[in-house]
Amino acid sequence: MRKITFLVLSLTLLAAGTLFANGQQDKEKEIVLKWPSIWVGEDSKAGAVAELVDQFNADNAGKIRVEVEAQPDYDGYEQKIRTSIAAGIVPDIFTMKLNPTTKAYYESPLLMDFSKELNGGWGKDFNAGTVAQATVDGMVKSLPYEVAITPVWYNMDLFKKAGVSKYPQTYAEFLDAAAKLKAAGFIPTSQMTGGSNAWTSMLWYSHFLASFGGPDVYANPFGTDAYVKAAEVLLAMYSDGNTSIDAIGGDAGVSGGHYLAGESAMFINGPWYIGRVKSEAPAVYSATEVGPAPAAGNNKGAMVGFLQTNFAAAANADDPEKAAAAVKFIKWMTKSENVAKISAASGAMFAVKYDSSSITDELMGKFINASNDASFTIPHLEGVVTSDVITEFGQALGKMALGEATPEEFVEMLKKVQDQ
């Protein structure tokens, strides 16, 4: 009997020792956070972001490690995130554009709600109103990070060579300038119907919606007169040689490529593109000015601005240490000095308060002036309709540009999807 008691006691102590050892091992186990990121490769933020990730990993060596999974395909990234979440699999950390489609993610318990952390003081680090824009039903399941305006970029060297002394302020002036640019052998505007959102042309259309519909254009029913008039102007930009022949079906590489090559005079994109123009086309960078689109309607000086990229994370409700690690990393990425570093390197603008005095980029200064001078700002179309509408946008635009649909029919195609 004493032997049996001794044996039981020994086994109990052995088990306890094993459990203790495993507990220590688990406690000391490094937490690995997977981050599928688009800020890699040729992206203008890639270098600065990589340095910050490396610094975070060094500071937290043996405790937390962030592994970046390179996703250089912007369109593919959004689709991958959407598919992943639909399948119930949420990356530890990821970024997303907040729009009517992605707001549906907020219904998932698999996404982290940052509300408690923000109310604890973190929220004061963000510019006024940005957190509110990312709040849905009291939840903040995506954290505002990158913001943007998307003015028209115009190459004054090409304008001067064509005999155009100033950037057109009205639609009539635009048509006159376009005629002179074509006569001089230049492409007046960069456009694209391809990609997941026909990005450049969608932005042109958003500018003209603002010009025709004013600051409340999106408050009115979809498909009203402003939508048709904006479509008529967009069709004109696809007509008579006002854009390149490869714009139909072309993607962001086509649209941006013509501007970088000094072939097109007008282009639309956000400040994140500054770093690329500066490094790949310094002459174009030096000649670039930015401003609102020529006023086609009664509203002048409007700008398109929006939350560009939000941080999001898996809730990891069954692993609070991993959830806390994700918050720690995102707080690191939103530290004022770190945001300033990314902004200075890329030209990107952020929702986080930071000292911009270190930003000496001349073109970035022009962006800030354009934002300050705007008579009003509206989101782009992609920010207010579902992704299905934006998918239809490129296809419908292609048909209109090929003469297979009128502006009225173009708008009706979008409205049909919007109403579904």
Side-chain angles (χ1 to χ4, degrees), residues 228-246:
V228 175
K229 288 182 176 178
E232 291 172 348
V233 175
L234 191 57
L235 175 58
M237 291 193 158
Y238 272 86
S239 307
D240 303 325
N242 287 329
T243 190
S244 58
I245 58 174
D246 54 0

Side-chain angles (χ1 to χ4, degrees), residues 78-79 82 99-102 105 196-197 381-394 417-418:
E78 292 185 16
Q79 182 61 40
R82 189 176 302 131
N99 56 44
T101 297
T102 57
Y105 298 169
S196 64
N197 54 10
L381 182 67
E382 186 182 22
V384 297
V385 298
T386 66
S387 59
D388 289 339
V389 175
I390 293 303
T391 299
E392 180 67 15
F393 181 91
V417 177
Q418 176 73 357

Side-chain angles (χ1 to χ4, degrees), residues 59 100 184 244 276 283 344 354 391:
D59 292 346
S244 58
R276 185 168 180 183
Y354 62 100
T391 299

Side-chain angles (χ1 to χ4, degrees), residues 127 147-152 207 271 290-292 301-306 349-350 363-378:
N127 292 324
V147 297
I149 61 167
T150 50
V152 176
H207 273 271
V290 296
M303 188 54 63
V304 173
F306 46 90
M349 302 166 71
F350 291 89
L363 187 50
M364 186 65 199
K366 294 173 183 176
F367 263 76
I368 294 172
N369 290 338
S371 179
N372 293 337
D373 294 342
S375 57
F376 63 91
T377 301
I378 67 165

Side-chain angles (χ1 to χ4, degrees), residues 201-216:
S201 292
M202 185 275 295
L203 293 174
W204 277 107
Y205 188 63
S206 302
H207 273 271
F208 294 125
L209 282 175
S211 185
F212 284 111
D216 299 324

Side-chain angles (χ1 to χ4, degrees), residues 19 21 36 38 92 101 125-126 143 155 166 186 241 269 295 310 379 392:
L19 288 172
I38 56 174
D92 295 326
T101 297
D125 294 346
F126 295 82
L143 204 65
N155 186 325
K166 67 175 185 176
F186 301 121
N269 211 340
N310 289 13
E392 180 67 15

Side-chain angles (χ1 to χ4, degrees), residues 1 11 51-52 95 101 169 207 229 272 275 296:
M1 185 64 185
L11 290 173
E51 288 181 10
L52 290 174
T95 55
T101 297
Q169 301 297 307
H207 273 271
K229 288 182 176 178
W272 55 84

